[in-house]
Amino acid sequence: MRDEGVPDWELCDVCARILDPLAEARFAVVPDSSAVRMVSVCADGWRLVVACGEQHLRELIAAYQARPWIPAELWAGRVERAWVTVPVTGRMTVDVLAARTGLSQVQVRAGVWLWRQRLSGRWPPPGLLPA
């Protein structure tokens, strides 16, 4: 019996075909500097991908292997998580963000800069990521 709220289907990340996760879905975990979970730091930098078969799974893995790893992208996600998940009591400083994220002050500053670039629509720069 399945848990309430857990769908009994998945979508292929390549073709969006509806899949039975127990019978036909193929899964892989791939490195991705943009992947940050809002509730758990242990999965930061890793993305679960779902495919309808071995060919689409190979395509997904190859696409993520070709994508550059951008440390500041991971830091930006951690800054965002700290910003939105913990109530702010007082002023949000670099020291406070460093304590909440486990990052250095330099990493926090780079993450904040990139996070602002994302919010303003100026990230990623043209040509940085494969089409």
Side-chain angles (χ1 to χ4, degrees), residues 18-33:
I18 297 174
L19 309 169
D20 177 340
L22 299 177
E24 59 186 340
R26 302 291 182 265
F27 300 92
V29 177
V30 295
D32 179 2
S33 57

Side-chain angles (χ1 to χ4, degrees), residues 2-125:
R2 300 219 174 158
D3 292 337
E4 291 295 320
V6 175
D8 52 0
W9 52 270
E10 290 282 350
L11 291 178
C12 175
D13 290 337
V14 174
C15 67
R17 188 173 136 226
I18 297 174
L19 309 169
D20 177 340
L22 299 177
E24 59 186 340
R26 302 291 182 265
F27 300 92
V29 177
V30 295
D32 179 2
S33 57
S34 71
V36 174
R37 303 281 184 268
M38 283 297 134
V39 292
S40 174
V41 300
C42 66
D44 287 355
W46 297 97
R47 181 173 305 281
L48 177 67
V49 294
V50 181
C52 61
E54 293 302 319
Q55 178 59 35
H56 279 181
L57 189 61
R58 283 192 297 274
E59 289 176 24
L60 284 166
I61 292 169
Y64 279 95
Q65 286 175 339
R67 187 184 187 283
W69 180 270
I70 304 166
E73 193 171 43
L74 186 63
W75 305 335
R78 288 182 174 172
V79 165
E80 180 180 12
R81 178 177 55 219
W83 197 277
V84 300
T85 60
V86 181
V88 177
T89 55
R91 193 165 163 227
M92 184 65 80
T93 65
V94 172
D95 289 334
V96 170
L97 281 172
R100 288 185 179 184
T101 60
L103 300 172
S104 72
Q105 289 187 5
V106 170
Q107 292 169 327
V108 166
R109 290 179 196 282
V112 167
W113 178 85
L114 185 56
W115 184 38
R116 287 180 177 160
Q117 297 303 302
R118 279 190 194 161
L119 292 175
S120 69
R122 294 189 297 250
W123 183 264

